[in-house]
Amino acid sequence: MPAAILLAGGAMDVLCDRRPAHLPWWMPSVFSWPVYGGCMLALWLYCRGWRRLRRQGMISEIGPGRAPVFFLLGVGAIYAVLQTHFLYAAQHLFTFNRVQHLAMHHLGPFLIALSDPGPVLRHGAPPWLRAALGRPAMRAAIRAVMRWVQHPVPACLLFFGLVWLWLIPPVHVRAMLDPTLFAVMNAGMVIDGLLFWFLILDPRPGGGDGILSQPARLFLVTAVQLPQIAAGAAIAFAGRDIYPYYDICGRLVPGIDAGLDQQIGGSIVCYGGGMMSALAALILFGRLWRDDRPAATVRGAA
């Protein structure tokens, strides 16, 4: 399987380099080995781990919430906005650019975290990788880094801070024109989204062993929602073209001018992130209700 993945990637790389105008929409407009390799590696490890668990009769033990459909959809959403012709669309219309960032930072990572893929990926990892990650020094280093980046304050600031950073007009224009900075922006959005949503959607009950409590997670998803609403509203009601890059490169849809493009894009920033936070809050409320049910039953019986 790894050899087939490499061969397919090599073929796409050659085709994108030599015949980019003749490729169908589901092929990359610009091929990226890091994006392709990261997505394919994740899918390979997950499918390999799922097969092993099924052969061992352990699928039922990992819980119904870890449905493979969530993981596959999450990785697919990230791949679709970065390794198909949608990437070209996102570079030529601000509205599509906001859809791309919504998929990279919210939808894709949210679905991956919701699937809780850790046990499946561990079973799919090669023995040498499990041995390397299982070393005490490596485990301690990983825990130290994760404790910092998933501390509530840095996690919250990074989550909406990155959204704000890449929406600052001069920064946004520079990132869209510089291929290296563009790749850094996309990678940062995906990684930060994964870190945040894994923190929020961790299936383990909170309150102990350094795990964030459910009320604290509810506070975080609300806290990150408000700055995004403010940023989206500022863009939607700017009243002038604050992202001239899209006029310079040519907007993909001629009927959408700068004002309408920014209104739609700003609305996606406002409501897209808000809907994901609301969905996360519903999941957290459901867990709180489920955790409180036994206590309520006991009190009712008494």
Side-chain angles (χ1 to χ4, degrees):
M1 183 63 73
I5 291 173
L6 287 174
L7 285 174
M12 283 194 287
D13 193 7
V14 172
L15 287 171
C16 289
D17 183 56
R18 297 185 179 180
R19 299 178 63 86
H22 298 83
L23 298 178
W25 64 267
W26 48 268
M27 289 281 284
S29 57
V30 177
F31 185 79
S32 168
W33 274 110
V35 175
Y36 174 82
C39 290
M40 292 301 108
L41 177 62
L43 290 174
W44 176 66
L45 291 176
Y46 191 88
C47 293
R48 176 180 158 121
W50 190 265
R51 286 197 304 269
R52 287 184 173 181
L53 288 169
R54 187 174 58 184
R55 282 198 301 266
Q56 298 169 13
M58 297 173 60
I59 291 295
S60 60
E61 297 180 14
I62 65 173
R66 295 168 182 155
V69 65
F70 292 137
F71 185 83
L72 298 177
L73 286 174
V75 175
I78 294 171
Y79 185 91
V81 298
L82 290 175
Q83 281 293 274
T84 68
H85 275 42
F86 192 89
L87 177 68
Y88 178 85
Q91 292 173 319
H92 290 79
L93 198 69
F94 183 67
T95 295
F96 289 150
N97 179 269
R98 291 301 90 203
V99 172
Q100 182 192 47
H101 278 236
L102 184 67
M104 291 191 302
H105 197 228
H106 289 77
L107 181 61
F110 182 97
L111 291 170
I112 293 172
L114 187 62
S115 72
D116 189 27
V120 182
L121 292 174
R122 280 196 296 271
H123 279 81
W128 64 266
L129 181 58
R130 291 200 300 269
L133 295 176
R135 292 174 182 170
M138 180 64 74
R139 293 175 66 180
I142 292 173
R143 284 199 195 99
V145 172
M146 296 302 289
R147 271 198 303 267
W148 188 85
V149 297
Q150 288 194 320
H151 184 279
V153 175
C156 183
L157 292 176
L158 280 171
F159 191 76
F160 72 77
L162 280 181
V163 175
W164 276 16
L165 172 65
W166 300 115
L167 285 174
I168 297 172
V171 177
H172 184 86
V173 172
R174 177 64 184 272
M176 299 302 292
L177 292 173
D178 186 333
T180 302
L181 191 58
F182 184 73
V184 169
M185 174 179 68
N186 293 339
M189 295 297 280
V190 173
I191 293 170
D192 180 62
L194 289 170
L195 289 172
F196 182 80
W197 291 118
F198 269 106
L199 173 66
I200 298 300
L201 299 175
D202 190 335
R204 296 173 295 176
D209 196 26
I211 303 171
L212 207 61
S213 67
Q214 304 292 348
R217 300 181 204 186
L218 280 167
F219 175 79
L220 278 186
V221 295
T222 304
V224 299
Q225 181 179 356
L226 299 177
Q228 292 179 93
I229 292 174
I235 294 168
F237 298 107
R240 58 186 179 86
D241 186 2
I242 58 176
Y243 298 114
Y245 160 84
Y246 297 96
D247 268 342
I248 295 172
C249 291
R251 296 184 190 273
L252 191 63
V253 182
I256 298 181
D257 60 11
L260 180 58
D261 194 13
Q262 287 177 186
Q263 288 175 6
I264 299 173
S267 299
I268 292 171
V269 176
C270 276
Y271 301 116
M275 285 190 295
M276 298 306 301
S277 292
L279 181 56
L282 287 175
I283 293 172
L284 295 174
F285 275 122
R287 291 178 180 177
L288 280 172
W289 177 79
R290 181 193 60 200
D291 294 341
D292 288 345
R293 243 186 338 174
T297 304
V298 171
R299 287 194 298 268

